[in-house]
Amino acid sequence: MDGHAVTPAAGQPHDITLTGAFGTGAHDIAVQFLDDVYGGSATADRNLYVHQVSLNGQTLAGDAADNHAGYNSGGVANMFYNGSVEWHI
């Protein structure tokens, strides 16, 4: 968020909550996927799916992002390779 990294634990779907004094005005939110792996089959493929982001009471769907790691569909930013998705609030 605004240039600061957040690294969640691997595993099942989960929420990431950031707290702080982000201030008023415009903000950039980015999720960067840095650890893509294709293990030779769909069951060994590592992907990241972002359903939504929220800041100061404003929620944006994943598919509202600029996606540089896959494509957006059905409300989700689908990240299939290393890259980022970005929202400008």
Side-chain angles (χ1 to χ4, degrees):
M1 163 92 184
D2 288 341
H4 300 279
V6 176
T7 305
Q12 296 298 314
H14 54 276
D15 293 332
I16 299 170
T17 302
L18 302 174
T19 58
F22 299 114
T24 59
H27 291 282
D28 294 327
I29 299 173
V31 174
Q32 192 165 16
F33 188 28
L34 300 173
D35 197 19
D36 182 38
V37 172
Y38 179 69
S41 70
T43 58
D45 193 10
R46 183 181 304 152
N47 299 309
L48 178 63
Y49 304 94
V50 181
H51 292 262
Q52 67 184 30
V53 297
S54 299
L55 178 66
N56 294 334
Q58 183 176 359
T59 300
L60 298 173
D63 64 358
D66 296 328
N67 192 336
H68 306 283
Y71 62 85
N72 297 337
S73 66
V76 178
N78 303 293
M79 302 177 77
F80 299 123
Y81 43 86
N82 291 335
S84 64
V85 293
E86 302 164 357
W87 297 261
H88 310 287
I89 297 179

